[in-house]
Amino acid sequence: MKIFRALFSSFISFHCFFTIQAQVEIKLPDYFGPPLDIPLQLSGSFGELRTNHFHGGLDLRTGGVEGKRVLAAADGYVARINISPYGYGKALYIQHPNGFMTVYAHLQRFSPAIEQYVRQEQYKRESFEVDIYPQPGVLTVKKGELIALSGNTGSSGGPHLHFEIRDQGGERALNPLSFGLQVPDTRHPEITQLLAYAVDDDFLEVKRTVYPVRKLGGGIYKLDRDTILVSPQTGFAVEAFDYQDAASFRNGVYWLEKFIEDVPVYRFVAEGIRFDQTRYLNAHIDYELKYSQGKNVHRLFVLPGNQLDAYPLVINRGLLKIPQDSIIKVRIVVKDIAGNSSELTFWAKGTAGVLPAGVRDRAGLFGFNEDIVIRDESFIFLAESGTFYRPQKISFSTVPLMPGTSSAVVNFGMESVPFHKFATLKLRVDKNHPNASKFVLVNVVGSKRSAITGTLEGEWFTARIRSFGRFSVEPDITPPSITSVNIPANGNMQKVPVIRFRIVDDLSGIKSYRMEIDGKWVLAEFDGKTGLLFFPFEHAASGKKHEINVRVTDAVGNTSEYKTTIFR
């Protein structure tokens, strides 16, 4: 054991190891004030593990209600206003003199001056959805000034304020808690599981073993056994969470570090995340575990295709290489940004670790850094270098194009393999199909169907994909549905302040929508998560007759129209 420790120390000192140096951020305490005038409580932390991305800001609680006052965090001017039925919903971007930008998302409405500016632009374009870039000086704000009311717009899962601080250029999200915002936190992070992976030289995980963790108190954790058996090359992962004093929400952790014989070999810090790197989350986590069990764990080793720069220190990509029968100490430390820490210590004993024959077979294995081209009589698959995070085998089965069908079928059956980039899939189709102009690529995973638009060239339909599954091409000939939600049978809406419709499309998705009253466009808002299209009446009821017309078009051009008469 002493010999191995000496060898390990020598390796650390002299071996040419792999290290990533993360960018050091400049922190400006007290420059930014709180964006709410209520005590700050988190329902989501910076760097938290989300679907396909790291959380780029703070989710601030608003007591389960909308309408809380949202304040400018510092002097500046409104540089962008984006309104969408999805994503951030109604969002403001404020540019500050120091070069930083703050973002406020899922808003209910803007302050009167900003609201008037936006409405003018919406009416000018006759569109609820707008992306506006006001000139500097047009909409200036002061620190602490009311700029909006909090809401639940876009893809929000409940009323809250999403708040971001971005660096110069706005391409990197920074941890707002590094800038002096106060969220009381005296609680240790929680470690709930340790995972050990037998990893081969191509970073393919041969075996995953899960070890439950016991909490001893004071941030100290142990395994049920002091020593675990590991393969000659092993990677570790942990499931870990953080909590703040005034809330019970499970939030993400700020800092993860792994030590081998008390020498640090891996460090992850949620200090800043580039937007063009945020999808590397799928390499940072165990994606297969997320897909199969819905569980997020942090890998404490770095896959070869993972270019995320949130790792200030990585030696040997964070892997443990251990001779048979050697025993070494492993320590994992988890911290929050307030300085509270927890740690898990155990010992690992090396074993022979013979790889199964199926794993040793490298036939059909593509390198993660090479272009991939697979041609079959039924399909063509193209993926450029960097689409996958490690060498990847691609298996498939096909059903050729048959008379009476619209396309061939290809089933990759590898839904738990993450894509970083888009790949191109071409499927052979019946070019003479009567509805070929409405073709979409359909991906079926279990009972879930999703559609992707593409282009038809001769007998090939081409689309961009970002996941595997079972693919075919079929025409979308069903128009969207439009349903009245609150129009009474007699049409009398004199006491109803808002008219509502539900609009839904079952395949290619809604591309555009328009509501008119008496032949004129009105500013109807669309909530993508609920499918509600609604218009708050702008004038007092007068008992007059009005003609309502709602028109909705999907991504391939199918259109539905709903006409009715109301009295108001």
Side-chain angles (χ1 to χ4, degrees):
M1 183 172 172
K2 291 181 179 179
I3 294 175
F4 177 75
R5 286 179 176 173
L7 289 173
F8 178 77
S9 298
S10 176
F11 169 81
I12 295 298
S13 300
F14 303 110
H15 194 275
C16 180
F17 55 75
F18 171 78
T19 302
I20 304 175
Q21 181 62 51
Q23 176 179 338
V24 176
E25 303 296 350
I26 301 174
K27 301 179 183 181
L28 302 173
D30 303 324
Y31 183 88
F32 294 107
L36 294 170
D37 59 4
I38 57 176
L40 300 185
Q41 297 181 4
L42 302 187
S43 59
S45 60
F46 181 85
E48 201 166 84
L49 309 180
R50 299 289 179 90
T51 300
N52 294 323
H53 69 284
F54 293 92
H55 192 222
L58 302 179
D59 283 345
L60 300 173
R61 298 182 65 196
T62 57
V65 299
E66 301 183 33
K68 296 297 183 181
R69 290 164 48 87
V70 177
L71 313 176
D75 292 357
Y77 67 89
V78 177
R80 181 185 180 194
I81 308 166
N82 184 261
I83 298 180
S84 168
Y86 311 101
Y88 282 2
K90 296 183 180 181
L92 275 179
Y93 300 70
I94 296 179
Q95 187 67 53
H96 303 285
N98 64 358
F100 289 85
M101 175 180 284
T102 51
V103 182
Y104 314 76
H106 307 305
L107 304 172
Q108 180 193 77
R109 65 182 61 196
F110 307 112
S111 66
I114 299 173
E115 188 78 22
Q116 181 182 11
Y117 180 90
V118 173
R119 286 176 65 86
Q120 288 177 349
E121 199 64 33
Q122 288 173 313
Y123 272 93
K124 178 181 176 181
R125 304 182 189 185
E126 294 193 350
S127 175
F128 166 65
E129 300 177 39
V130 291
D131 195 8
I132 312 168
Y133 294 82
Q135 291 296 313
V138 173
L139 294 170
T140 59
V141 297
K142 292 292 185 180
K143 183 176 182 178
E145 179 182 335
L146 175 71
I147 56 173
L149 298 180
S150 66
N152 187 33
T153 56
S155 299
S156 170
H160 73 283
L161 173 67
H162 174 87
F163 176 68
E164 296 179 11
I165 297 178
R166 299 185 180 182
D167 67 358
Q168 292 89 342
E171 297 306 314
R172 184 182 182 93
L174 307 176
N175 195 327
L177 295 183
S178 295
F179 292 82
L181 298 183
Q182 297 299 312
V183 178
D185 183 2
T186 59
R187 301 174 65 178
H188 294 280
E190 180 182 14
I191 304 172
T192 55
Q193 280 187 339
L194 172 75
L195 299 89
Y197 300 83
V199 180
D200 71 7
D201 291 338
D202 287 311
F203 277 78
L204 302 182
E205 292 157 3
V206 180
K207 181 182 179 182
R208 177 205 300 134
T209 306
V210 179
Y211 298 95
V213 171
R214 290 187 294 115
K215 182 178 180 180
L216 301 183
I220 302 301
Y221 290 81
K222 296 290 185 182
L223 302 181
D224 288 336
R225 61 187 78 173
D226 287 336
T227 303
I228 60 174
L229 301 179
V230 299
S231 69
Q233 184 165 258
T234 296
F236 294 105
V238 291
E239 182 183 45
F241 304 97
D242 190 37
Y243 299 86
Q244 283 72 44
D245 289 352
S248 59
F249 290 90
R250 276 185 164 187
N251 294 323
V253 300
Y254 171 68
W255 178 295
L256 289 159
E257 193 163 20
K258 182 173 68 179
F259 297 80
I260 296 178
E261 293 296 343
D262 294 322
V263 176
V265 297
Y266 169 97
R267 186 180 303 136
F268 165 82
V269 184
E271 187 65 57
I273 300 292
R274 289 185 57 88
F275 292 103
D276 61 357
Q277 293 186 351
T278 191
R279 195 176 174 90
Y280 284 118
L281 169 119
N282 291 332
H284 178 80
I285 66 172
D286 181 342
Y287 188 86
E288 193 283 328
L289 190 67
K290 168 73 171 179
Y291 178 83
S292 62
Q293 300 182 28
K295 186 182 292 291
N296 273 322
V297 300
H298 294 265
R299 293 186 195 273
L300 304 180
F301 60 102
V302 180
L303 298 184
N306 182 0
Q307 300 300 312
L308 181 68
D309 67 356
Y311 307 107
L313 172 69
V314 180
I315 296 173
N316 191 35
R317 291 201 170 270
L319 292 175
L320 168 64
K321 295 189 175 183
I322 179 172
Q324 185 175 357
D325 295 327
S326 295
I327 300 176
I328 68 165
K329 177 184 175 183
V330 179
R331 181 163 59 95
I332 298 168
V333 177
V334 182
K335 298 179 182 179
D336 62 28
I337 199 167
N340 306 299
S341 66
S342 296
E343 63 179 64
L344 168 67
T345 303
F346 60 93
W347 281 259
K349 181 177 181 180
T351 62
V354 178
L355 296 179
V359 176
R360 293 198 301 269
D361 179 13
R362 290 297 184 261
L365 189 68
F366 294 94
F368 75 95
N369 57 352
E370 65 178 289
D371 294 338
I372 299 173
V373 180
I374 301 175
R375 296 181 183 273
D376 181 84
E377 66 176 13
S378 298
F379 77 96
I380 301 172
F381 175 82
L382 307 169
E384 64 178 78
S385 171
T387 298
F388 303 109
Y389 301 116
R390 54 185 167 190
Q392 183 62 52
K393 283 188 176 183
I394 299 178
S395 58
F396 59 88
S397 62
T398 61
V399 178
L401 175 64
M402 304 289 288
T405 63
S406 55
S407 79
V409 178
V410 58
N411 187 1
F412 291 102
M414 299 182 295
E415 295 90 349
S416 62
V417 174
F419 284 46
H420 189 72
K421 301 178 181 180
F422 282 97
T424 298
L425 180 64
K426 297 173 177 281
L427 267 183
R428 190 180 297 276
V429 298
D430 176 8
K431 63 180 180 180
N432 298 316
H433 193 284
N435 292 303
S437 64
K438 296 185 182 295
F439 273 167
V440 292
L441 181 69
V442 177
N443 184 12
V444 178
V445 178
S447 60
K448 182 180 178 182
R449 281 164 47 94
S450 58
I452 306 168
T453 57
T455 57
L456 179 64
E457 297 179 3
E459 60 182 1
W460 294 98
F461 185 84
T462 303
R464 301 172 73 215
I465 63 173
R466 217 170 188 180
S467 66
F468 284 125
R470 181 182 183 276
F471 294 96
S472 62
V473 173
E474 62 183 71
D476 178 3
I477 58 175
T478 304
S481 67
I482 306 172
T483 307
S484 166
V485 173
N486 67 337
I487 300 177
N490 62 6
N492 185 348
M493 300 195 72
Q494 296 198 75
K495 296 183 179 180
V496 181
V498 180
I499 185 170
R500 294 184 174 91
F501 296 87
R502 179 163 279 108
I503 59 176
V504 178
D505 188 74
D506 66 352
L507 195 56
S508 61
I510 292 172
K511 182 179 181 180
S512 65
Y513 46 89
R514 181 182 180 90
M515 185 185 299
E516 294 179 355
I517 299 181
D518 299 329
K520 295 183 179 180
W521 179 85
V522 294
L523 180 51
E525 302 192 17
F526 179 43
D527 183 355
K529 62 179 173 289
T530 62
L532 283 178
L533 180 70
F534 58 96
F535 172 66
F537 291 110
E538 297 175 339
H539 304 289
S542 60
K544 293 182 179 180
K545 176 181 175 181
H546 300 282
E547 301 297 328
I548 307 294
N549 184 14
V550 178
R551 186 163 61 251
V552 182
T553 302
D554 67 17
V556 296
N558 298 307
T559 299
S560 293
E561 229 174 339
Y562 185 107
K563 295 183 178 181
T564 191
T565 300
I566 66 168
F567 297 90
R568 193 177 192 282

